[in-house]
Amino acid sequence: MIRGVNKQIVEISETENDYFERAILFVRPGAIESSESELRKQAKALLQSMGKSGGRARKAKRYKIKGMARLGVAAGMGATLALVAARLFTF
């Protein structure tokens, strides 16, 4: 519950997110003079950067999975080469 606060807010009711139906953002005192359309544009940009589809969070996860796959392939190739080398030198 918020009481006794005198601030301008921007409410985004269409977050396009499966978990959250709306977002309420408090405007900084220095940005109150900005137009409503500019505030809404900045609010949507902020929400997009916080993990909405196509945001940074999903891209980072995709690159992490690719990196782990590459590491697994490299480890498998190294183990195979070590096995082949061991068999060649035992004869």
Side-chain angles (χ1 to χ4, degrees):
M1 178 184 343
I2 301 173
R3 295 190 316 187
V5 176
N6 187 13
K7 293 203 176 226
Q8 185 174 0
I9 62 168
V10 175
E11 180 179 357
I12 304 296
S13 58
E14 297 176 20
T15 61
E16 299 177 16
N17 186 295
D18 295 335
Y19 296 99
F20 303 103
E21 68 180 60
R22 66 183 175 161
I24 299 174
L25 304 170
F26 293 87
V27 179
R28 291 183 190 263
I32 290 178
E33 295 84 27
S34 300
S35 67
E36 183 179 343
S37 62
E38 177 64 21
L39 291 174
R40 289 198 177 274
K41 184 174 102 174
Q42 291 296 326
K44 286 189 181 229
L46 174 69
L47 291 177
Q48 286 178 346
S49 71
M50 293 177 70
K52 209 171 95 173
S53 63
R56 294 179 192 153
R58 287 192 180 204
K59 288 181 183 177
K61 186 176 181 181
R62 187 180 322 144
Y63 290 129
K64 188 181 235 184
I65 291 172
K66 280 184 179 180
M68 291 174 62
R70 287 181 185 160
L71 182 62
V73 168
M77 289 174 62
T80 303
L81 286 174
L83 181 63
V84 168
R87 292 211 180 226
L88 285 175
F89 292 119
T90 57
F91 290 130

